[in-house]
């Protein structure tokens, strides 16, 4: 399972990149608004920071023609741009055209396995089911995700599944166990994934014992 970071904050992206585990970035208008920078400046900064990883940038238009125009404009920002298109009837029409033009797409705001099936049929590069937001309305997001993984397997759909709206470390673990292609994870959760109290306690003990045994390697 690839690790994408669900953020538009450059400091967070740099940190995950430094850890050597960054495989892509997803943004949305909410995340861009949280940077405190003009959206275009923030987007271009991200693209410069990671020119070799996919970066999802979302359209704002909701009509077919408007989405196409915005998507073509966003695609000019860099070869690694993936255009995020919401799952609406206008959106799926636009994805079909963009796919034919060779523009990479990420169908977002997906909440059911049938929406994901359609995203696959129209040739989307990625599909983003939102698991946390389903949990929020007392519907198990991971069950929908499991169905999508299953459907994609039985029909040999090549669209990559990005588990989005990931809210905790257990979501990440379960996504990995389901065989999801990608999880896009908020920075705070990536930090939690890298920490284990037993590692900290164990290391403290090893260092104390190294001192007792006068171990000095260099
Ligand atoms: O990238 C979109 C998605 O991950 C949003 O998550 O937490 O706002 O539901 P959330």
């Amino acid at each position: 399972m690839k690790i994408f970071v669900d953020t538009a904050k450059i400091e967070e992206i740099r940190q995950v990149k430094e850890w050597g585990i960054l495989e892509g970035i997803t943004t949305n208008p909410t995340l861009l608004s949280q940077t405190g920078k003009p959206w275009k400046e923030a987007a271009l900064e991200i693209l410069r920071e990671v020119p070799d990883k996919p970066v999802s940038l979302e359209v704002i238009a909701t009509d077919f023609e408007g989405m196409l125009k915005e998507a073509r404009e966003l695609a000019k920002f860099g070869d690694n741009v993936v255009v995020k298109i919401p799952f609406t009837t206008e959106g799926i029409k636009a994805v079909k055209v963009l796919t034919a033009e060779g523009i990479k797409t990420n169908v977002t705001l997906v909440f059911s396995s049938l929406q994901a099936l359609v995203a696959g049929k129209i040739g989307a590069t990625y599909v983003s089911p939102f698991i946390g937001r389903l949990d929020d309305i007392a519907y198990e997001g991971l069950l929908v995700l499991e169905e999508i993984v299953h459907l994609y397997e039985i029909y040999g759909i090549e669209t990559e599944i990005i588990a989005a709206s990931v809210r905790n470390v257990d979501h990440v673990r379960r996504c990995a166990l389901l065989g999801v292609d990608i999880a896009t994870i908020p920075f705070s959760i990536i930090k939690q994934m890298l920490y284990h109290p037993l590692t900290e306690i164990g290391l403290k003990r090893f260092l104390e014992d190294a001192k007792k045994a006068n171990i000095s390697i260099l």
Side-chain angles (χ1 to χ4, degrees):
M1 182 178 77
K2 282 180 249 174
I3 294 176
F4 283 16
V5 194
D6 201 22
T7 187
K9 291 186 183 152
I10 199 75
E11 315 74 42
E12 297 184 349
I13 292 166
R14 283 194 185 124
Q15 180 63 86
V16 182
K17 186 178 157 189
E18 227 173 272
W19 289 332
I21 54 172
L22 179 73
E23 294 176 287
I25 290 149
T26 53
T27 70
N28 59 38
T30 308
L31 295 171
L32 279 166
S33 76
Q34 289 164 358
T35 65
K37 295 176 191 164
W39 75 271
K40 194 167 178 179
E41 190 187 306
L44 291 174
E45 200 175 13
I46 297 169
L47 291 163
R48 275 196 304 274
E49 186 65 34
V50 283
D52 56 342
K53 314 269 182 226
V55 176
S56 286
L57 300 173
E58 190 159 340
V59 296
I60 301 304
T62 53
D63 63 299
F64 171 68
E65 287 297 344
M67 283 187 198
L68 285 184
K69 276 189 205 141
E70 288 185 359
R72 289 171 186 144
E73 186 57 30
L74 290 172
K76 285 186 206 151
F77 288 10
D79 290 341
N80 55 335
V81 169
V82 176
V83 182
K84 238 179 167 181
I85 308 269
F87 190 103
T88 58
T89 47
E90 294 293 284
I92 59 173
K93 265 162 54 186
V95 169
K96 188 129 199 202
V97 174
L98 294 168
T99 302
E101 289 178 13
I103 293 176
K104 291 190 264 317
T105 56
N106 175 355
V107 178
T108 188
L109 290 168
V110 164
F111 294 96
S112 79
S113 47
L114 291 181
Q115 285 180 316
L117 185 65
V118 171
K121 280 183 185 295
I122 55 176
T125 320
Y126 302 96
V127 64
S128 292
F130 278 32
I131 56 176
R133 291 194 196 182
L134 280 165
D135 290 352
D136 291 345
I137 57 158
Y139 198 92
E140 221 178 309
L142 285 159
L143 277 184
V144 171
L145 197 61
E146 191 175 359
E147 283 182 17
I148 298 170
V149 170
H150 183 60
L151 283 177
Y152 275 33
E153 246 169 45
I154 55 181
Y155 293 111
I157 294 172
E158 283 174 12
T159 300
E160 284 191 83
I161 303 167
I162 305 182
S165 189
V166 166
R167 299 280 174 76
N168 53 58
V169 174
D170 199 49
H171 270 163
V172 181
R173 184 180 70 88
R174 286 168 183 269
C175 286
L177 288 170
L178 284 177
V180 167
D181 301 296
I182 300 152
T184 189
I185 313 169
F187 180 69
S188 59
I189 296 171
I190 295 182
K191 273 205 304 196
Q192 285 173 41
M193 280 165 53
L194 302 183
Y195 174 78
H196 200 290
L198 291 179
T199 306
E200 193 172 72
I201 292 166
L203 181 59
K204 190 166 169 274
R205 200 174 298 161
F206 284 153
L207 292 178
E208 283 163 5
D209 292 342
K211 211 168 181 180
K212 279 186 216 152
N214 277 325
I215 296 174
S216 133
I217 296 169
L218 298 176

